[in-house]
Amino acid sequence: VLLRAYVYARMLGRTGMTRVADFATLNANYLMAQLSKAGFDLAYPERRASHEFIITLQRLKEETGITALDFAKRLLDYGIHAPTIYFPLLVKECLLIEPTETESKQTLDAFVAAMQAILREAHTQRDLVKTAPHSTPVRRLDEVKAAREMNLAWRAD
């Protein structure tokens, strides 16, 4: 992993590193603005995003019972790897959104569209969101059972 990061940095060079940092910041601020317009609550609305930002789904949870975990699991059905959830711990029901510097505007817009669709579903089809994911090979796991009966052994089939 360190070698890969080193090679990436060397390939970019000094000007390339500045450029990708600028793109990461631009992507984060674009997404932050779009999601705010779409009705999502920013955890820190007065801050400009550096390369990441946080939205809170606390209001959604109070209105519908849909949690950040439910929302993240539903994103999987849209073919989107869910952002980090519940971090930082001081923000309730948060999603830490961190787009990379290589994401296209089309990809960012597709993410916003998926987020908007799930927000609508949370109000109109709660069970669909609560029981997600539906399109993955493995459905929602019992996290309490997994924590209590942890099995980290690997076996070849």
Side-chain angles (χ1 to χ4, degrees):
V1 173
L2 293 176
L3 180 59
R4 184 179 291 172
Y6 176 74
V7 170
Y8 182 61
R10 293 288 297 182
M11 284 177 24
L12 289 172
R14 178 174 288 165
T15 56
M17 288 293 279
T18 302
R19 201 166 129 222
V20 297
D22 290 343
F23 281 129
T25 302
L26 179 66
N27 286 349
N29 280 282
Y30 175 75
L31 268 186
M32 187 172 75
Q34 295 302 106
L35 290 174
S36 180
K37 282 186 215 172
F40 288 92
D41 297 328
L42 300 174
Y44 302 102
E46 68 285 347
R47 290 188 190 169
R48 182 182 67 84
S50 52
H51 66 286
E52 64 188 13
F53 63 98
I54 301 167
I55 63 172
T56 175
L57 300 177
Q58 181 62 28
R59 182 170 48 99
L60 182 67
K61 182 181 178 187
E62 291 167 1
E63 293 172 358
T64 66
I66 301 295
T67 65
L69 177 65
D70 300 329
F71 210 95
K73 295 291 187 185
R74 185 68 178 132
L75 275 169
L76 297 173
D77 289 329
Y78 284 84
I80 297 172
H81 187 279
T84 301
I85 58 173
Y86 300 120
F87 181 82
L89 296 175
L90 57 111
V91 179
K92 294 179 180 178
E93 299 302 324
C94 70
L95 296 175
L96 174 65
I97 300 172
E98 186 174 13
T100 66
E101 68 276 4
T102 58
E103 298 297 346
S104 67
K105 184 175 180 300
Q106 292 79 18
T107 302
L108 298 175
D109 289 340
F111 177 74
V112 172
M115 294 285 285
Q116 289 174 308
I118 298 168
L119 187 59
R120 282 190 301 275
E121 291 170 354
H123 290 283
T124 60
Q125 298 175 292
R126 289 183 192 147
D127 287 342
L128 182 66
V129 180
K130 275 286 198 198
T131 57
H134 303 283
S135 63
T136 57
V138 176
R139 299 297 168 93
R140 191 177 293 213
L141 302 174
D142 182 342
E143 294 178 20
V144 174
K145 181 180 179 187
R148 288 188 179 150
E149 300 174 24
M150 194 176 304
N151 180 354
L152 301 177
W154 179 83
R155 286 175 282 174
D157 291 332

